[in-house]
């Protein structure tokens, strides 16, 4: 691979957009050639247009970049990483796809479309093939692939390992989600300091649906959903990064906590998804301590791409209880989209 | 009622002990005549012996009281409110019961004993009758009654209303628990600021067992457990007071969210438990907002004695989802023990 | 006093406006007859128009009140409590004053005008007389009195006691301010959880100027500033309510920490300001513990109206160091405005 | 430099000890050959003996190391990094110095001794020469050098640049200090969530004294203190890492904010202290934003070794106000000790 592929970041000034910029710094395959923002920020330098909220400093090369409008001509790239709000993404992402750009989107706008895959390279890299259906049906030269909601991401990786080993029947999921998932300014400090908000608008529906699509099977250009049921409660807590999910699962073939631990530890990504720049190492880490995983201590395992599982134990109602942790703006957002793009390059869909 | 009943607080210097002192200030029936602490604090004035952590100031009368040893002679009271650590309670509480004192205990030491009731006056005031068995079997002149674990308290009140109206089959409960539940110094700030701890030692077992005893039936001097199953996950979050529980329930006779809301709102305490100084008003409050109950905003409803329920909605796996909030050191600890003592007085067991 | 005086709250939906509503609940002298909000909220019920952020519940009578426009006809009251943003206050408050309404304002818009007093009844109740100048010069039938910035309030009470007893030369003040001072939504949680923001726009200027006006003298209808100098740094911290100020002071007549403690404790309000419904009891509380005052534990002393001082000790550079705590939305905002209105009634300026 | 120098970490299980272990991972000059802990941890594996609180994972090589007793024989190293509590350090550090070990200590036990230097390589590397006096007087073959208190560290670097350029007369310093400065378990969460603690025991004395020693001059084997005065207030806030200090300074030769900014930016370490593995790059970073430095966003600049200064502005009382930020467990503790050891190697004192 001689030259790096030119990429753009749509909606680069928000908190997920910032994470894209940070993670694409010195990326071996991709070079950020443009970035976009809302109308009133167009024309400003990125360092002025953006209230940077990450602990890692803004890369030097990004500081002076001029915020562009979100259209294919202005951005001039082969891949568009989208951190657009969903209602904006609905209109703009197809413009890029039509113009031959591959949109790797963090927005939820197209996740439910039958011909748009929700991709986790560790889980369902084969689903990217449905892009062909997309192109045929919609007359696009590029395409749209999405990554899941930030809460669905980590728990789906864990569920995949259990599904492969034992089959799944029923899943209870209760999340304790970090503030960065709500963007910036997002959650008001008066609402969350010393408090819990027991709802995140629209989140429970996503957590109950998206894993079933990712864990479903692609046949004849259509994805059939996995045939188990998820019940979800979602909560916001005063954590900066890292979503915790308490999971109880009923398996088709019951297993002990030890067997599940072994299956989770042994899980590896399909061959095509290994060895990419963003591949998690390991895909899943199982911890034995009685009080882990914790967001502050464990979210950066595998550079924020690893799914961390702990507290495997019997469940008196279903089969097993466990706690799953995943970095919501890395594995669950920008890092996931970048990993998806790497997969598409490896698969030859982007070149 | 002419004179107030002399009471003592065992383990008065800890955070639950402080809550007893604060709630007993100007109590119409009870007068604190002594308070106790660990050996190295005996002989000190309470104001020196105690690192007060409550926002309400220490009552004037308590400041100069001298910390006593935890024995019936030194404390000289008819009722002992126990905020002792469980391992200490195991040895000391029977000494008081033997000496004719009625121990209203917040400790878990005797909750599992078949002849010791776990009492919630709104739920199972009749269970106090088992004290007779206790006296007969153990040769005590006084007795021990306990209040449940702080997380079990609020959720059992809500479950009782649902059990009465529809019957219960299965319950899934995930808690987000406040720091005050761990006592003082309790949770280290480095462990919880910007973090979640996904375990509380021994808590899940209590949450899975205690409600079944309280919701069971007393027959012929024995309590038979309620015949449904609870699965619990317990978490610590950076909230000062107020435990949140995400509940999913399967009912014997399925009900809609609206029907459940009506049943919860209509629930009232048995007659004997009404109109006592600590009776919650209302017993249950159901909220309609999409993001309530929240610990900071709702924990003090009904002076911290009300169980607050919100977000009633269908559950794709069981029947209904909801969120339950209860003040962990008032309804779930000191306030609960005091309410129990009031019940016992009303029932004529204490006089 | 037979009937209560009809009052209105301007800007009632914000966080200070909410505090006005909460503190005016069952006020013995004042009755809220109307409340106002921004244009897009006019016509809505208060309970819908307002995202209530206080732990005390919204009073029943307020829930159904309809949000009005901020003009004297719509509000129909003799006193207007203003929680308006300053740029809005600049235009609207004079309309009320002109129409004969007495505006007790929490906004900073008119604090620097020479004929508008900044009032603390414990400190400078005589300054209210300058309203006569105001009326003459501006042709108003009502008037505007302001309360100081939330940080200036508490520290000025403490400085007044020291000024009276020893005289003041130089004051160094560093604040650690609560989130509620920034209103709602105010500070983004991503900016403050686990963090400090070492600046509050425009605050240092206010803290350096306002105390000099309040501690100055009124002569011949003009206020001359006190002749000492203040240097201020202001910081935002993750506290809900209660501003802490670290003060170092140089006195005209040097005093020991003990002498200063006695002077602070002995300080009492001028006679006219005593015994009003919002009079702080005590005006100043001095604490001896090595680690107090603390916002969480001490902000509600005297129902949030008391100024709490602690850690009096020698300063190697000036004379004394101390820590001052004051409740920023009670003493420092809504409670202060209400206390001002009570003073004006007592002085016969409002009737 | 062929082989790495064998080093030991005394008190390795606490939070500063952990930071030593983390920062010494893959150090080019030093190899950790042993680590010590309190008596009840001796003999355990480090991974069991230690409640790891850092976000960076424990290095693999440390996990299986056996905790040793803190004596020179058991530890067998040429350099001892001491994270011992001060009262323990007082007895043990001389044992190491006597046995020929060079102790680079984070403890305060010997900082006030006239023949023990408090070293900041960017500031006073020449003070290390006083070790000769130490050896002569005390008959030690090794020696003790200390790094300053975590709050003194960063502010002294900034003060040095101002002292060199303009001279110093008076300094006001008010700190907002992070939780990690108190060690583990340290501050109880109930004391600090939503709160401020306006005192840190013994800290103000250190902040008022230590900078004067570091900024003093070494002549004829004795250090004379710098001749200006510091007044300090110290506060604890709910921040994980990074101490903020609000500074007001009076200069001998007054300067504008711009001149001070240039002097701070231009400041560089003495030649001997440059280019070492832990040398900060840059020594001082001056920021122009109105709300920086902030602990969460700026503490890791220069790998946590840089002193970050912002908000330079005139002071109405002294000359200039500014805000200084420094990472308290890196620049202010373990990283500082390691940098000191590197300096001593470069100076030929350790070989």
């Amino acid at each position: 691979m001689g030259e790096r592929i030119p990429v753009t970041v749509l909606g680069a000034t928000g908190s997920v957009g910032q994470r894209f910029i940070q993670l694409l710094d010195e990326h071996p395959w991709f070079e950020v050639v443009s970035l976009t923002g809302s109308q009133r920020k167009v024309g400003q330098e990125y360092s002025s247009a953006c209230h940077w909220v990450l602990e890692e400093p803004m890369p030097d090369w990004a500081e002076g970049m001029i915020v562009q409008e979100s259209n294919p001509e202005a951005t001039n790239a082969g891949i568009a990483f989208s951190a657009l709000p969903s209602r904006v993404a609905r209109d703009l992402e197809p413009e890029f796809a039509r113009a031959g750009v591959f949109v790797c989107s963090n927005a939820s706008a197209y996740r439910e479309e039958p011909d748009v895959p929700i991709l986790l390279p560790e889980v369902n890299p084969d689903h990217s093939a449905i892009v062909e259906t997309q192109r045929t049906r919609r007359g696009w030269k590029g395409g749209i692939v999405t990554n899941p909601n930030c809460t669905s991401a980590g728990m789906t990786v864990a569920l995949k390992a259990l599904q492969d080993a034992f089959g799944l029947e029923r899943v209870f999921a209760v999340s304790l989600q970090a503030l960065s998932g709500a963007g910036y300014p997002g959650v008001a400090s008066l609402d969350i300091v010393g408090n819990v908000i027991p709802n995140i608008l629209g989140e429970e529906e996503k957590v109950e649906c998206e894993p079933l699509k990712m864990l479903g099977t692609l046949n004849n250009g259509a994805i059939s959903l996995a045939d188990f049921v998820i019940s979800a409660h979602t909560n916001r807590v005063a954590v900066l990064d890292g979503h915790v999910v308490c999971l109880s699962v009923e398996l088709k073939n019951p297993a002990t906590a030890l067997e599940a631990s072994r299956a989770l530890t042994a899980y590896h990504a399909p061959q095509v998804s290994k060895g990419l720049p963003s591949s998690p190492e390991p895909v899943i880490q199982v911890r034995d301590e009685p009080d882990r995983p914790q967001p502050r201590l464990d979210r950066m395992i595998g550079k924020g791409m690893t799914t961390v599982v702990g507290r495997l134990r019997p469940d008196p109602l279903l089969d097993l209880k466990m706690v799953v942790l995943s970095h919501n703006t890395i594995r669950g957002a920008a890092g996931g989209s970048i990993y998806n793009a790497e997969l598409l390059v490896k698969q030859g869909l982007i070149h």
Side-chain angles (χ1 to χ4, degrees), chain A:
Chain A
M1 184 161 297
E3 289 196 356
R4 295 194 292 168
I5 299 172
V7 304
T8 189
V9 177
L10 311 180
T13 62
S15 66
V16 171
Q18 293 175 26
R19 191 58 92 176
F20 272 117
I21 296 297
Q22 182 249 320
L23 292 175
L24 288 166
D25 186 34
E26 305 192 8
H27 193 280
W29 297 3
F30 304 138
E31 178 176 9
V32 179
V33 295
S34 60
L35 47 78
T36 82
S38 60
Q39 204 53 48
R40 64 191 176 79
K41 298 202 168 166
V42 169
Q44 295 180 39
E45 290 201 349
Y46 186 60
S47 59
S48 317
C50 168
H51 178 93
W52 189 259
V53 296
L54 302 183
E55 299 178 23
E56 301 82 359
M58 182 184 290
D60 292 341
W61 52 262
E63 290 182 10
M65 289 185 79
I66 302 299
V67 177
Q68 307 291 333
E69 287 194 36
S70 293
N71 67 55
E73 294 71 35
T75 50
N76 197 27
I79 300 175
F81 291 108
S82 170
L84 296 170
S86 271
R87 59 188 165 66
V88 178
R90 177 145 285 281
D91 292 336
L92 293 186
E93 291 181 1
E95 288 186 27
F96 284 79
R98 203 171 299 123
V101 180
F102 229 112
V103 181
C104 292
S105 178
N106 185 62
S108 63
Y110 287 90
R111 283 187 206 140
E112 295 183 29
E113 300 283 315
D115 60 349
V116 174
I118 310 179
L119 273 191
L120 289 173
E122 311 94 308
V123 168
N124 63 341
D126 58 308
H127 285 201
S128 62
I130 206 170
V131 168
E132 297 302 337
T133 312
Q134 202 180 102
R135 288 171 168 173
T136 308
R137 274 188 48 198
R138 302 182 188 246
W140 290 349
K141 287 184 288 182
I144 298 178
V145 302
T146 66
N147 51 279
N149 165 278
C150 50
T151 307
S152 302
M155 75 181 246
T156 302
V157 174
L159 291 176
K160 169 66 173 172
L162 297 171
Q163 185 193 40
D164 281 7
F166 314 109
L168 288 170
E169 286 286 359
R170 297 195 285 184
V171 174
F172 260 117
V174 177
S175 70
L176 294 83
Q177 299 185 215
L179 301 168
S180 57
Y184 184 85
V187 182
S189 54
L190 281 176
D191 284 336
I192 201 69
V193 168
N195 205 13
V196 162
I197 306 176
N199 192 15
I200 299 172
L201 206 67
E203 190 84 352
E204 290 173 1
E205 294 78 354
K206 292 174 192 167
V207 174
E208 293 180 349
C209 292
E210 294 181 6
L212 304 184
K213 184 169 178 181
M214 290 184 278
L215 296 173
T217 47
L218 176 69
N219 272 315
N220 303 322
I223 296 164
S224 54
L225 301 186
D227 66 340
F228 64 94
V229 179
I230 301 174
S231 166
H233 297 242
T234 57
N235 299 284
R236 186 78 67 193
V237 294
V239 166
L240 291 165
D241 290 306
H243 286 358
V244 171
V245 184
C246 295
L247 277 185
S248 280
V249 298
E250 183 176 320
L251 305 169
K252 279 199 171 26
N253 303 299
T256 65
L258 182 60
E259 289 163 343
S261 172
R262 284 177 183 154
L264 287 157
T265 302
Y267 185 75
H268 55 85
Q271 192 60 35
V272 68
S273 304
K274 289 183 181 173
L276 305 180
S278 301
S279 295
E281 272 302 328
V283 174
I284 296 172
Q285 184 184 90
V286 178
R287 301 194 71 102
D288 295 325
E289 302 94 329
D291 60 355
R292 302 285 280 270
Q294 293 179 16
R296 186 168 82 79
L297 298 180
D298 299 317
R299 63 192 165 208
M300 286 308 295
I301 292 171
K303 297 183 180 168
M305 292 295 289
T306 290
T307 297
V308 189
V309 183
R311 301 203 68 224
L312 279 155
R313 58 207 193 281
D315 184 303
L317 212 47
L318 305 183
D319 288 302
L320 292 171
K321 296 177 189 169
M322 70 199 73
V323 176
V324 177
L325 172 74
S326 178
H327 195 301
N328 58 303
T329 66
I330 301 182
R331 177 61 247 161
S337 286
I338 295 170
Y339 190 17
N340 282 348
E342 294 163 2
L343 172 69
L344 298 170
V345 170
K346 178 83 169 290
Q347 291 173 325
L349 282 157
I350 297 177
H351 41 89

